[in-house]
Amino acid sequence: MEREVDFAGYARAIAARWWLLVLGAVLGGVIGFLVGRSDGSTFQAQAIVYLGQPLSGTGSSPVASLASDPSGVSAVARSQAVVDEVAGQVGMSPAELRRGVSASPLGERRAQSVVTLVGITVRGDERAPVEEAANLLGQVVVDRAASYADAKIALYEQRLEAQQERVTRLEGQVDEVAEVIQGGGDLSSAERISLTTLLTVFQEQLARVQDDVLTVEQLLTQARDIERGRVVTEAAAAQVDARSTRTSIVVGAFIGLLLGALAALLWGPLARLRTP
């Protein structure tokens, strides 16, 4: 019961001097605004990358890989080896680059969606290094996530080259046999039938191989454009506040509100102490 009375007393004290809470929140917000603005400005650049969507060999279903886990992008971008490599190329210290790097998925990723865009953001004191670092980190992330797609692309390219060579060979055989038939006026009926049959066989083989070429070309295009990631939008640095002014105002106002509540609670006891 005593605790309930105390809480009720606290509530009455705060309600009686509510203006202290308002005053504290306003002063806190003003101070937060001034602090946020006094921190100066910095540069920020964001590269937008598409991680890609690796598919099964038939292209009918997605497979799990680094590209299907956007949460791993930040770990890759902030890893010591990657930070050291990129920092050396853009003229930033590894510690400075690591402090300024962040990565997160963009937009709402629905369960049925397999398209994932990730923003890789870099903050720093100079425009050019920040911009270059964001682009390099984006390309590193894409390359690390593309090992499966790259292997498929290399395989499809080999298959396509072999099939195109076979198409060229079959086309030559078809032309050769057709030429013999057309120019062979002294051919016997049996020879003409035999050559015609051989021509038909070569033409059927050529048609099948040409179909295979089209299939592999489609799979190769799919692997390049869908399964392999890429940097969708290169980073362009822009000047921003070093600290979010809105956040500073909210934090300052909250702290001021707490201090105002504390002042309201202590108002009565302090007034009684000052009374002789």
Side-chain angles (χ1 to χ4, degrees), residues 52-65 68 114 148-149 151-153 155-156 159 215-216 218-220 222-224 226-228:
Q53 179 51 66
L55 302 172
S56 60
T58 60
S60 59
S61 59
V63 296
S65 70
S68 59
V114 294
Y148 176 79
K152 290 184 70 174
I153 290 172
L155 177 62
Y156 289 147
R159 287 178 56 185
T215 299
V216 175
Q218 291 173 351
L219 290 173
L220 182 57
Q222 177 178 275
R224 287 172 174 168
I226 298 177
E227 298 189 56
R228 196 187 197 284

Side-chain angles (χ1 to χ4, degrees), residues 1-269:
M1 179 65 69
E2 181 180 353
R3 179 173 299 179
E4 293 178 357
V5 172
D6 289 341
F7 280 139
Y10 295 156
R12 287 194 297 271
I14 292 175
R17 297 173 180 86
W18 58 269
W19 54 271
L20 287 175
L21 279 72
V22 175
L23 180 62
V26 172
L27 291 177
V30 171
I31 294 173
F33 173 79
L34 294 176
V35 171
R37 300 294 292 180
S38 66
D39 280 348
S41 60
T42 187
F43 290 96
Q44 176 176 297
Q46 183 183 74
I48 299 177
V49 303
Y50 165 61
L51 295 180
Q53 179 51 66
L55 302 172
S56 60
T58 60
S60 59
S61 59
V63 296
S65 70
L66 177 60
S68 59
D69 181 19
S71 61
V73 172
S74 181
V76 172
R78 293 174 56 83
S79 65
Q80 190 63 48
V82 171
V83 168
D84 289 346
E85 177 185 350
V86 173
Q89 295 183 55
V90 302
M92 298 175 67
S93 70
E96 179 188 5
L97 179 57
R98 182 188 291 277
R99 285 196 302 269
V101 174
S102 62
S104 59
L106 301 178
E108 181 181 356
R109 188 168 191 254
R110 300 177 181 177
Q112 66 270 25
S113 175
V114 294
V115 177
T116 301
L117 296 179
V118 176
I120 299 179
T121 304
V122 177
R123 280 180 171 241
D125 296 331
E126 299 181 41
R127 180 188 299 272
V130 164
E131 188 173 295
E132 187 178 0
N135 288 325
L136 288 174
L137 287 171
Q139 193 58 56
V140 167
V141 167
V142 167
D143 291 342
R144 295 291 176 91
S147 58
Y148 176 79
D150 285 342
K152 290 184 70 174
I153 290 172
L155 177 62
Y156 289 147
E157 289 175 340
Q158 292 175 1
R159 287 178 56 185
L160 184 59
E161 182 180 357
Q163 289 174 332
Q164 287 173 336
E165 290 177 355
R166 191 177 177 193
V167 166
T168 301
R169 185 170 62 253
L170 286 169
E171 287 176 340
Q173 291 172 331
V174 167
D175 292 341
E176 182 179 351
V177 174
E179 184 178 352
V180 171
I181 294 174
Q182 292 173 0
D186 56 347
L187 292 174
S188 65
S189 298
E191 290 174 332
R192 187 173 295 277
I193 292 174
S194 178
L195 288 173
T196 302
T197 301
L198 182 61
L199 178 61
T200 301
V201 170
F202 285 156
Q203 288 174 333
E204 290 176 350
Q205 291 179 350
L206 177 60
R208 285 196 297 269
V209 176
Q210 287 174 331
D211 287 341
D212 291 341
V213 167
L214 290 176
T215 299
V216 175
E217 285 178 339
Q218 291 173 351
L219 290 173
L220 182 57
T221 300
Q222 177 178 275
R224 287 172 174 168
D225 295 345
I226 298 177
E227 298 189 56
R228 196 187 197 284
R230 60 187 177 277
V231 178
V232 177
T233 303
E234 292 191 346
Q239 199 167 16
V240 296
D241 291 336
R243 180 182 301 178
S244 171
T245 302
R246 179 180 298 179
T247 301
S248 299
I249 292 174
V250 171
V251 172
F254 180 71
I255 294 175
L257 186 67
L258 294 179
L259 293 177
L262 180 61
L265 292 174
L266 296 177
W267 186 283

